[in-house]
Amino acid sequence: MVADALIYHPTVSHYLKFVATTVGRDKTLRTLQYFSRFLAWYLYRTNYTPAAIKPFEAVKKQFGLTRKCMRIGKFVEHFKAAGLAADAKTMDPVLRYCAVGRQLGYAMYMSLDTLTYLDAAGIRPSAVAKRLQREAYKAWFAGLVFNAVAGVYTLWLLRQKEVDRTDGEKAVEGKKLQKERNATQLQLLSDLCDLTVPSAALGYADLDDGVVGLAGTVSSLIGLYGVWKKTA
């Protein structure tokens, strides 16, 4: 009876739907990758031995390489999304522009990142891999900036809707607007956290692995939460 209760529990079914998605597995690996990055930094700063730090460095490296492999070919999805956004004539012009910029940024990031995989995996070293990875980070940075701008603009639009509502509309639209605002704020927080990664890699900001690791963990948990809700 206990076994049946566990096997047929709704949470188990939800979990199976979650791990069946590539994005669900990616967000799980990403969370562990960035938290390991933070732990490796913390242990180093608190004078732990190299033997204690080594497992977390390995998790950071190996899970990062696994995720890089999982991203191969994903650039096609983003190029298509950019085309669809460009054709969305009914969309707000600012949001459409930001959507196209975001998707093109992500597409270029995925494309250039794919070209560095053989070098990162040690299969075929390349002299241009570091330069390609740097350009990939620039593309990711641009995509994140477009998404952050879209988030700020969306919050402004929602604020305008609240100001323009009549008393009768407030009761009906209040919950809907609050839900949209919460989702937008959460995504904006995720984007700002993610911006620390390419910013640190490109030297745009002087951030250590502790800050980047924690920020990456937060954005990963936000993504994990989003995927979990979608698979409910």
Side-chain angles (χ1 to χ4, degrees):
M1 295 295 291
V2 176
D4 286 345
L6 289 173
I7 292 171
Y8 295 105
H9 196 279
T11 303
V12 175
S13 298
H14 188 178
Y15 166 77
L16 292 175
K17 289 180 182 178
F18 173 79
V19 296
T21 63
T22 302
V23 68
R25 295 193 298 273
D26 176 72
K27 294 302 181 185
T28 302
L29 290 175
R30 191 178 194 272
T31 302
L32 296 173
Q33 175 193 352
Y34 279 98
F35 190 58
S36 293
R37 183 171 181 170
F38 166 74
L39 285 177
W41 170 86
Y42 175 79
L43 294 176
Y44 174 77
R45 290 294 298 269
T46 50
N47 298 317
Y48 275 74
T49 64
I53 300 171
K54 187 176 180 180
F56 299 105
E57 289 284 358
V59 169
K60 179 182 74 172
K61 181 180 179 180
Q62 296 302 323
F63 282 18
L65 186 60
T66 300
R67 293 183 57 242
K68 186 187 285 283
C69 182
M70 291 169 65
R71 290 194 296 267
I72 293 176
K74 200 172 186 295
F75 61 88
V76 177
E77 173 188 333
H78 291 287
F79 276 124
K80 179 180 179 180
L84 292 174
D87 290 336
K89 306 301 182 184
T90 58
M91 185 185 293
D92 181 285
V94 175
L95 293 179
R96 184 174 58 160
Y97 178 80
C98 286
V100 173
R102 177 181 73 248
Q103 296 298 345
L104 287 178
Y106 291 168
M108 288 304 300
Y109 166 64
M110 298 290 182
S111 301
L112 294 167
D113 187 66
T114 296
L115 295 176
T116 67
Y117 176 74
L118 294 180
D119 177 84
I123 298 172
R124 186 175 181 179
S126 171
V128 299
K130 287 186 178 180
R131 184 166 63 85
L132 289 174
Q133 190 63 64
R134 183 174 178 80
E135 296 303 315
Y137 277 130
K138 289 180 181 178
W140 185 21
F141 181 87
L144 288 170
V145 169
F146 274 113
N147 211 31
V149 170
V152 173
Y153 180 71
T154 299
L155 289 175
W156 179 78
L157 288 179
L158 292 173
R159 179 59 182 166
Q160 291 301 114
K161 286 183 180 180
E162 286 185 343
V163 173
D164 296 340
R165 281 183 305 167
T166 63
D167 291 336
E169 292 174 327
K170 287 183 180 180
V172 179
E173 296 291 329
K175 289 184 178 180
K176 181 181 178 182
L177 290 176
Q178 185 61 44
K179 186 177 180 180
E180 288 182 35
R181 186 188 303 106
N182 290 341
T184 303
Q185 289 173 338
L186 198 61
Q187 183 57 52
L188 181 58
L189 174 61
S190 178
D191 291 333
L192 294 177
C193 287
D194 278 340
L195 274 168
T196 63
V197 183
S199 295
L202 294 168
Y204 294 165
D206 185 16
L207 303 173
D208 58 35
D209 271 7
V211 173
V212 176
L214 273 182
T217 301
V218 170
S219 67
S220 299
L221 287 173
I222 291 173
L224 199 67
Y225 171 71
V227 179
W228 182 260
K229 283 183 65 178
K230 286 181 180 179
T231 55

